[in-house]
Amino acid sequence: MTASAAPTAAYTALDAGDYLSSTLTRGPWDPAHQHAGPPIALVCRAVEQAAHQHGLTHIARLTANLLRPVPIGKLIVEVMTDYVGRNAGHFSAHLMAGDKDVARFTALAQRETPLELPQELAGHPLPMAPLAPDESPAASFPFAGRQVGYADLVETRLARGKFWNGPCAVWFRLRHPLVEGEEPSPYQRVAVAADSGNGVSAILDYERYLFVNSDLTINLLRRPVGEWICLDARTCLGSDGGGLAESALYDELGFVGRATQSLAVRAR
């Protein structure tokens, strides 16, 4: 690919709800399929827009049910408002490629209200990431450099551990916009990174095994801040082909939430 043809964003907005994917979304499992992080973030963006219409500005939970691999191509996002109350709203969404649902989502959005917390709360102040981004050395995914893809979309720095070698903490920052011409929201930054928990904390050789997640749930206790998001992730595997990846999520101010992924583990 020539420099002039290099993609500059993960997606380009077409008509309302329609988007064209770039190769920056490519994942490590199949060259024709996206990493799940960018399309989850794309739906997060649409949910944010729907929630803001009701004055709900905090995305407290986003759950993605990944039905099929997401192809690199044209995508359609549809958001439904299921219920909106005074302080919270429930939303659902479909992500479609052609006439097929490739993922379905539910989300909880909340109204943000300033609150003064009591002094000396148990468990507070909340913990910080193992290292700050500027203290963490640059690191690359094992699949980086083979083809333009997710490893080019994000910059990564290692806060603890080692990529694909057990428990691991990694800072993520977008190198390119999620949608052409837009500044990604903090929630979109979290969503792009959070689906990588099973990858950064992998304990199996990805060239010999598949350990793909069929879902992702992100719970956030407050609005994230800044460009950097840290995943402190670990993977646990069962003996029946199942597994769980869990990530503690941090921004530069400290702990902000958790992400979990259900894994299907198979030999290649």
Side-chain angles (χ1 to χ4, degrees), residues 91-261:
F91 300 85
S92 55
H94 291 208
L95 180 66
M96 301 182 68
D99 60 353
K100 291 184 178 180
D101 275 6
V102 292
R104 294 186 180 183
F105 299 76
T106 59
L108 170 65
Q110 295 176 331
R111 192 177 306 279
E112 293 180 281
T113 304
L115 176 66
E116 185 174 346
L117 295 172
Q119 296 293 320
E120 299 181 356
L121 270 184
H124 290 67
L126 294 171
M128 304 293 290
L131 289 175
D134 59 1
E135 299 172 331
S136 303
S140 297
F141 285 99
F143 53 84
R146 297 183 182 182
Q147 290 179 300
V148 173
Y150 180 79
D152 303 289
L153 178 64
V154 295
E155 175 185 356
T156 49
R157 296 185 181 180
L158 197 59
R160 179 167 60 194
K162 183 180 178 182
F163 263 127
W164 297 56
N165 193 36
C168 183
V170 181
W171 287 100
F172 288 74
R173 179 168 67 175
L174 280 164
R175 299 179 190 269
H176 303 277
L178 180 70
V179 175
E180 186 73 49
E182 292 185 9
E183 179 72 16
S185 76
Y187 297 102
Q188 293 160 35
R189 295 179 186 278
V190 170
V192 167
D195 190 68
S196 291
N198 64 319
V200 301
S201 68
I203 52 180
L204 294 172
D205 181 352
Y206 87 103
E207 293 186 341
R208 297 177 56 200
Y209 294 90
L210 296 172
F211 36 91
V212 179
N213 58 303
S214 298
D215 69 353
L216 170 70
T217 295
I218 301 168
N219 289 98
L220 297 172
L221 60 94
R222 61 168 171 83
R223 171 184 293 273
V225 298
E227 295 184 336
W228 288 101
I229 299 296
C230 181
L231 273 62
D232 194 350
R234 62 174 296 175
T235 291
C236 299
L237 302 179
S239 59
D240 57 357
L244 175 69
E246 180 182 16
S247 301
L249 305 174
Y250 299 86
D251 59 17
E252 292 188 72
L253 297 183
F255 179 72
V256 70
R258 292 195 182 277
T260 55
Q261 302 162 286

